[in-house]
Amino acid sequence: MPILLLEGLLLLAMISIAIAIIFGKNLLAATIIYCGFSFSAMLLYTIVGAADVAFTEAIIGTISTVYFIIAIKSIKNRGEHDEKK
Amino acid sequence: MKKSNSNKKLAAGLIAIIILVGASALKIGSFLPVIGAQDTPANSYLSEYYISHAVEDTASHNIVTAVLADYRGFDTLFETCVLFLSGITAVMILSTKKKISHDKTIRTINDNSEHIFSSNIMDAAFRIVVPIILIYGIYVLIHGEISLGGGFQAGALLACAYLLDRIIPSFQMRVKHITDEIALITAGTGALFYVITGILPMLNGGNFLEFNKLPFGSGAGDIAGLHSTGILMIEIGVTLCVMGIIITILEVVLERTDFDD
């Protein structure tokens, strides 16, 4: 029963993180919170017993966060470029 | 006016294709077995066979690796090919004709004082972390058939080390700068290595990817050694492919965003 409670808490955390990402205004904060989404998913996979999938999720979550940050930086560069014109 | 007309025709055609494909997918989907049904091969005998025979058939203590790399090696081959295709697509769509000077391998903190990740704490932390990630990636690759992990995770870890090293400015780059062409060639070499591993048993009279007939080791009786060699070889192929594709996409995106400037 405690495992079920933990799963429910993790699912609730994932849903609330998803809602926070959609309605958040700060892009960098949304990206960092998305890392938390990935972490909750990883914990869920571990509870279910899929250790391989959890491992993959952990690494890909890290890499995708870095990609998102690069994308945010490129958006900022574009904005500055347009202002100079 | 003429252009908007042809655009409308194109849109109508696309919508028709989408509806057609969707309808046929729904029609085909009704022939698929119900998830969790008792009478499908996966639920009736196949998973039981895999669980009870994996160790003696493949000598791999991780059933996930045994299924992915040995029983279902043909599926994994085409997964690797799909990854390679995604890398080629990224290069085709994103690569620019702009001439980029590649002599920026040595960077100084003074040059990048305005850089987003420029800080002494990041530099000191990742100077320690990057070599450890590299060693852990190699460990995951070699231990893939015994513990969890395998080719995909190892490739992602190695690429992760390169990625951290690439985006965090330091006195000197610790890993050599890889251009997107070299990364794509690496990925293609990985996929080719996988195929060659599959063809090797055919020279010895076996089937494609039949590791029992690999021309190594101490003959046909050495099931454990031959299967370990085969699984390790195809995992090296997958690792090279995944690492190359992640680095390719990173470099192509960075070229467009003028990250080094």
Side-chain angles (χ1 to χ4, degrees), chain A residues 1-84:
Chain A
M1 196 46 99
I3 288 289
L4 203 64
L5 191 70
L6 193 60
E7 277 189 53
L9 279 176
L10 280 171
L11 284 171
L12 271 179
M14 284 171 77
I15 292 169
S16 46
I17 286 171
I19 293 171
I21 290 169
I22 293 169
F23 292 106
K25 290 277 183 263
N26 190 341
L27 286 175
L28 190 64
T31 309
I32 303 299
I33 296 172
Y34 179 73
C35 205
F37 182 89
S38 183
F39 186 71
S40 322
M42 188 196 86
L43 286 181
L44 262 179
Y45 293 141
T46 317
I47 290 169
V48 171
D52 269 82
V53 186
F55 191 20
T56 314
E57 175 71 38
I59 301 167
I60 298 301
T62 314
I63 289 181
S64 63
T65 308
V66 176
Y67 271 99
F68 282 137
I69 288 176
I70 291 167
I72 289 170
K73 185 174 182 292
S74 92
I75 291 169
K76 279 181 181 166
N77 276 355
R78 286 284 153 78
E80 285 165 12
H81 194 69
D82 288 346
E83 278 169 18
K84 274 173 196 169

